[in-house]
Amino acid sequence: MRECPLRTTVVGSYPFPGWLEFACQNLEKFGSADLNELREDAVIVAIHDQAAAGLDVITDGEQTRVDFNLSFYGFLEGIEIETKPARRFGPPAHDQRGKHTVSGELLAPRGLGAVEEFERLKRLAPRGPTLKASLPGPYTLSGRLIPNDDYKDRYALTEALLPLVRVELESLVNAGCHEITVDEPSMSCYAHRADPKRLVNIFNRTVDSIAGRCRLSTHLCFGNYKGRAVGLRRYAPMFPAFLDMRVDEIHLEMASREFAEIELIRQIAEKKDVAVGIIDVKSYYIETVEEVAARVRLCLQQAPPECLSFAPDCGLSQTARWAARLKLKNMVEGVKVVRQEMKL
């Protein structure tokens, strides 16, 4: 990254095209070849929009997943998938996603699917942008499982999932993935009521075998399902403990919080690089190029350019595609304005 100061990047997800949403409601009408074509075409769309915006780092848009993490439960053995969440009506929110019953030993004999996603991205992406994979961490994945006599609490479930995630991360690196985000939003959502050092220990054991073998980052946010937060929207409970995470870069949600706690950028930059969320994915206001440039300059008051990259606050899956395209385009153009000012 230090060869490319003020990088533009994304967290991972991108909105599904409307036709893909429709197709997913009618999957029984498609054959296996049709479904493969659907997947490939959706990834091509996500790649196109990101490349057209001019991003330095792109992903596959997580087009073959349900949300950023829900489809991973389909790869697990030892659970019974819940199809009817406790609350089905009323305002859309996190409690409308079901929790799954653990019925046996938690295993992932087929892996978690991220390697197949990355191989597809490699095959379809143009030359130029850095290719990144994002994978949810074990603490976040444990949140949709119900403890039982064998796994008595969330931490026990996390410990069972940790080696499964670690193996998938190792497989990604072995497949040639040079940039990975381990996404643990549950850690940032619940750090105010958990032991942050314990969370850091979980994270570091998850990534221990790949740290130093790729560019590793983590994304700290407060939830974005249906464009809604779920956690206490303050970073203070996480720091300084989270500075001990074994990552090269920490991503912060800043735009939707009006850059509250911006001083954290300076604190993190003393030890790591910082990816700053300067686009609000929860709002349909389209940030102008000039506003983006002003936000970049604001961040430069806290850290040098070689330590900074810029991204949306969170994944874009909950933002309409027309808005996501405009937001990414203006984000890249705004960063470019400052690069030109600084002759970078």
Side-chain angles (χ1 to χ4, degrees):
M1 174 180 170
R2 295 188 182 281
E3 297 175 359
C4 183
L6 307 186
R7 282 198 322 173
T8 53
T9 182
V10 286
V11 175
S13 68
Y14 193 73
F16 289 169
W19 53 261
L20 182 62
E21 295 267 11
F22 178 81
C24 288
Q25 297 170 13
N26 297 273
L27 291 178
E28 72 283 353
K29 298 179 181 179
F30 294 90
S32 59
D34 302 317
L35 295 175
N36 284 333
E37 185 176 301
L38 277 171
R39 285 188 284 265
E40 295 243 337
D41 288 352
V43 174
I44 288 170
V45 164
I47 290 171
H48 170 271
D49 285 6
Q50 293 173 88
L55 286 165
D56 297 310
V57 182
I58 67 172
T59 70
D60 71 342
E62 300 176 3
Q63 296 291 289
T64 58
R65 301 182 187 179
V66 180
D67 203 25
F68 81 101
N69 68 332
L70 299 187
S71 57
F72 285 91
Y73 300 107
F75 289 92
L76 294 179
E77 288 186 357
I79 68 172
E80 296 175 7
I81 299 293
E82 172 59 66
T83 58
K84 189 181 293 185
R87 186 171 72 84
R88 304 186 71 182
F89 301 101
H94 296 261
D95 62 340
Q96 291 183 326
R97 295 188 292 181
K99 290 197 173 189
H100 313 304
T101 300
V102 178
S103 56
E105 184 181 2
L106 294 175
L107 300 169
R110 299 176 294 133
L112 295 173
V115 175
E116 181 182 354
E117 292 174 344
F118 181 70
E119 293 287 3
R120 184 187 297 112
L121 175 62
K122 281 199 301 183
R123 178 164 49 82
L124 298 176
R127 292 189 176 184
T130 297
L131 307 182
K132 180 167 78 168
S134 294
L135 190 69
Y139 184 74
T140 292
L141 285 174
S142 70
R144 307 234 68 81
L145 300 180
I146 301 171
N148 62 11
D149 289 340
D150 294 319
Y151 304 103
K152 296 187 182 300
D153 57 22
R154 182 168 189 168
Y155 287 108
L157 289 164
T158 299
E159 292 298 334
L161 293 166
L162 192 155
L164 309 183
V165 175
R166 182 194 290 137
V167 167
E168 193 75 5
L169 291 170
E170 292 169 352
S171 297
L172 274 170
V173 172
N174 291 338
C177 187
H178 301 301
E179 182 143 354
I180 300 175
T181 292
V182 178
D183 204 0
E184 278 282 18
S186 289
M187 288 190 176
S188 41
C189 287
Y190 305 124
H192 67 282
R193 68 187 194 200
D195 178 357
K197 292 184 178 179
R198 186 175 188 180
L199 298 178
V200 170
N201 177 268
I202 290 168
F203 187 95
N204 287 346
R205 286 188 289 117
T206 303
V207 304
D208 182 65
S209 59
I210 65 162
R213 297 178 59 198
C214 65
R215 179 166 182 80
L216 190 58
S217 62
T218 193
H219 166 232
L220 306 180
C221 79
F222 303 100
N224 189 39
Y225 183 67
K226 303 299 184 183
R228 287 166 161 78
V230 71
L232 176 69
R233 302 178 74 210
R234 292 183 65 242
Y235 282 115
M238 305 170 213
F239 291 91
F242 277 31
L243 290 174
D244 290 330
M245 284 181 163
R246 293 197 64 188
V247 292
D248 302 294
E249 179 180 85
I250 292 178
H251 178 282
L252 300 176
E253 176 181 344
M254 281 282 166
S256 71
R257 302 169 61 251
E258 305 297 334
F259 288 80
E261 301 179 288
I262 191 174
E263 64 278 1
L264 271 176
I265 294 175
R266 183 185 302 270
Q267 185 179 358
I268 295 170
E270 291 176 356
K271 297 186 69 173
K272 307 176 188 299
D273 295 330
V274 190
V276 185
I278 58 171
I279 296 294
D280 186 355
V281 302
K282 296 179 176 70
S283 169
Y284 279 83
Y285 173 74
I286 307 300
E287 297 86 349
T288 67
V289 172
E290 292 76 17
E291 286 169 329
V292 170
R295 293 174 182 184
V296 172
R297 296 185 196 104
L298 183 67
C299 295
L300 283 165
Q301 296 176 19
Q302 303 292 326
E306 64 270 16
C307 291
L308 290 171
S309 60
F310 298 98
D313 271 344
C314 196
L316 286 158
S317 65
Q318 309 297 302
T319 307
R321 187 178 166 209
W322 67 265
R325 282 200 301 257
L326 291 172
K327 283 173 173 283
L328 285 181
K329 179 178 181 295
N330 286 1
M331 183 184 82
V332 171
E333 290 301 314
V335 173
K336 190 179 296 183
V337 166
V338 180
R339 281 179 178 167
Q340 291 170 347
E341 290 173 355
M342 301 183 70
K343 296 182 170 53
L344 295 174

